[in-house]
Amino acid sequence: MALVQETGCAYHVCHVSTKESVELIRSAKREGLDVTCETAPHYLVFHDGMLQEDGRFKMNPPIRGEEDRQALIAGILDGTVDMIATDHAPHSAEEKAGGLEKSLNGIVGLETAFPVLYTELVRPGVLTLAQLIDLMHTNPAKRFGIGAPLEEGATADFTVFDLDAEETIQPEHFLSMGKSSPFAGRSVFGTCLLTICGGKIAWQAEGGASR
């Protein structure tokens, strides 16, 4: 942050997980510095009292305390935290078999991010659906100049979810080669039906979007 103040460069902070980091970024934004940041779903859902002796709970930064989790949510609500990303890390089963101490850092998150956040933050009324879409899509697209607008004539890049469909997260069904997820066994709402990328269907559930 001191270097941003000195140089005027743009700075994006990845994997924010502590209350101290949230406050530093909040202060930088108040100063008008060009700083944005992201956190990840697991830091918003878990605290360190929920850790299990299992490699699927091993990531860097680690899961923090409940005060940190609440600070991240407060940061999202006041605009300090701009985005939510997954830090998707598809390790092999062998690499994640060493428990909390010896497993490699990282978990998979692409296939669980939206349903977990929709279930844990939107359905209880912590965030609106529009806010979650901004955090996962609109804000990153603006900051990094990526993606296509959802409008007539633009290249189709979007995903269709059934928000009323409930399912249990089963890593063995992931398309990712990595299966290590702390959300395994959790019931969530928001089933993916269709993904279109670059104007072409990249994936479609059995029965398609008409399901």
Side-chain angles (χ1 to χ4, degrees):
M1 238 72 80
L3 289 173
V4 172
Q5 191 172 39
E6 182 178 335
T7 64
C9 71
Y11 177 43
H12 179 71
V13 190
C14 297
H15 321 329
V16 173
S17 64
T18 68
K19 59 184 184 294
E20 292 85 0
S21 293
V22 173
E23 187 52 44
L24 284 170
I25 295 163
R26 183 180 286 119
S27 297
K29 289 190 171 189
R30 286 173 181 160
E31 292 181 37
L33 300 182
D34 190 0
V35 174
T36 54
C37 72
E38 67 191 45
T39 189
H42 38 281
Y43 302 124
L44 297 169
V45 174
F46 296 108
H47 58 75
D48 56 10
M50 302 165 72
L51 290 175
Q52 298 178 27
E53 180 48 53
D54 192 308
R56 62 195 179 93
F57 286 86
K58 177 76 175 288
M59 67 281 294
N60 186 28
I63 299 295
R64 308 291 189 176
E66 176 63 10
E67 288 186 1
D68 299 291
R69 190 181 77 85
Q70 291 296 335
L72 290 169
I73 293 174
I76 285 174
L77 293 175
D78 71 11
T80 301
V81 178
D82 305 89
M83 313 170 200
I84 303 175
T86 66
D87 192 21
H88 183 84
H91 291 296
S92 68
E94 291 75 19
E95 291 170 330
K96 297 298 289 181
L100 285 177
E101 181 181 357
K102 296 182 179 179
S103 293
L104 294 187
N105 285 309
I107 60 172
V108 294
L110 290 177
E111 295 171 72
T112 59
F114 179 82
V116 164
L117 294 170
Y118 177 75
T119 302
E120 298 293 331
L121 298 180
V122 176
R123 286 179 67 89
V126 179
L127 295 177
T128 66
L129 179 58
Q131 287 174 311
L132 181 59
I133 291 171
D134 283 346
L135 289 159
M136 298 189 73
H137 166 72
T138 309
N139 295 348
K142 288 180 179 178
R143 179 60 162 171
F144 301 111
I146 57 176
L150 188 61
E151 60 185 32
E152 187 174 352
T155 301
D157 283 306
F158 62 84
T159 304
V160 177
F161 291 93
D162 183 344
L163 299 180
D164 296 320
E166 184 178 13
E167 61 182 354
T168 300
I169 294 175
Q170 301 179 65
E172 61 269 24
H173 295 162
F174 288 169
L175 295 182
S176 172
M177 293 181 70
K179 311 296 181 185
S180 181
S181 169
F183 300 110
R186 186 175 287 252
S187 293
V188 293
F189 290 86
T191 298
C192 182
L193 301 181
L194 175 71
T195 300
I196 293 182
C197 182
K200 298 179 181 180
I201 294 176
W203 183 84
Q204 188 169 14
E206 186 177 347
S210 62
R211 192 172 90 186

